Amino acid sequence: HACLLMSRRERIVRTLVRGSEAIPLPQLSPEGFTHTWRCFVEGVNNEDITGWVSQVTFTLDPSFAEPVRVIRAPPFEITERGWGEFDIGITVHFVEPKEKAREFFHPLKLRHVRARNSRGAGGNIKYCVYEDMEFTNITPRLRAAFDSNPQTTDRPQLPGQTDFLEIPSVAEKESLDVLDAAQRQVRQHINQVREGVKTNGEVV
């Protein structure tokens, strides 16, 4: 009987769009920033998601002031300035507190395949991804939220799926090497923290 009940369990799939958009600055800022950018979570075709999403938490690189940003009302987005690419942590919370929050990582993109200069003719750089989420333990509250907020089945092509990154110039290559080294250090540190391992390899 348990197997039969499991086979009949209701399954609902909901989709969000996570994305980022970077705008090149006309010139280097005094702090060395090259772009302003935003990272966001929104509905497919910009549908209203507030009926079932309660808040979104964005986790930035530790070098940012207040690296953890909690957004409790739409638009679910943050805006910053910077010079480097990194992975932004995104945690989506739901109106049903019993439903486990979903976590994603979004790679911030600052350099476009068609732009040979990161502040040049490439213009705004937008990169978006669909995130399909499956819900199986559906409470009455979550069911009511989904029923009152139906979702379209239309999924248009999202920007930025294929156009990163062309061969850089020598000067750009040097800058990218610095960025890559910094990103490797950040990822190494994150992995060490996650695995509970010190730099010397001893288990904490």
Side-chain angles (χ1 to χ4, degrees):
H1 295 291
C3 292
L4 182 59
L5 290 174
M6 286 294 291
S7 66
R8 292 178 178 177
R9 177 175 292 178
E10 185 178 16
R11 173 180 174 271
I12 294 179
V13 176
R14 280 286 167 133
T15 304
L16 292 174
V17 176
R18 59 172 169 86
S20 59
E21 183 175 21
I23 304 173
L25 297 173
Q27 61 184 14
L28 205 65
S29 75
E31 303 89 347
F33 299 147
T34 59
H35 294 74
T36 60
W37 55 262
R38 68 187 183 100
C39 183
F40 55 88
V41 170
E42 62 186 22
V44 179
N45 293 318
N46 207 29
E47 292 175 340
D48 183 14
I49 59 175
T50 55
W52 53 286
V53 172
S54 61
Q55 71 181 45
V56 177
T57 301
F58 297 90
T59 303
L60 309 182
D61 183 87
S63 61
F64 285 86
E66 299 181 16
V68 179
R69 317 278 177 90
V70 180
I71 310 299
R72 296 184 172 87
F76 296 108
E77 69 175 46
I78 57 170
T79 303
E80 266 293 349
R81 296 193 304 165
W83 53 268
E85 298 179 337
F86 63 97
D87 291 341
I88 300 173
I90 298 176
T91 306
V92 179
H93 302 262
F94 306 103
V95 295
E96 171 53 79
K98 295 180 181 179
E99 183 65 38
K100 183 179 179 181
R102 309 299 169 88
E103 297 182 348
F104 313 103
F105 284 96
H106 183 82
L108 176 64
K109 303 288 188 180
L110 301 184
R111 287 162 183 81
H112 194 283
V113 67
R114 298 183 181 89
R116 292 203 61 83
N117 187 299
S118 61
R119 301 190 306 277
N124 295 7
I125 300 161
K126 196 169 186 179
Y127 177 61
C128 300
V129 177
Y130 286 118
E131 285 290 357
D132 295 322
M133 298 171 293
E134 181 177 299
F135 299 85
T136 54
N137 298 316
I138 302 170
T139 64
R141 182 175 182 178
L142 196 58
R143 157 58 67 188
F146 288 155
D147 287 347
S148 59
N149 294 270
Q151 188 165 65
T152 180
T153 57
D154 181 29
R155 290 169 60 129
Q157 177 70 36
L158 294 175
Q161 294 296 305
T162 60
D163 48 5
F164 301 95
L165 172 69
E166 76 167 0
I167 299 174
S169 65
V170 174
E172 291 170 329
K173 179 66 166 58
E174 293 175 352
S175 297
L176 290 173
D177 287 343
V178 172
L179 294 179
D180 289 341
Q183 289 175 1
R184 284 196 298 271
Q185 290 179 353
V186 170
R187 290 193 181 102
Q188 182 180 17
H189 176 69
I190 291 174
N191 289 335
Q192 290 172 349
V193 172
R194 285 176 175 172
E195 296 172 5
V197 178
K198 295 181 179 179
T199 304
N200 61 10
E202 297 177 357
V203 178
V204 178

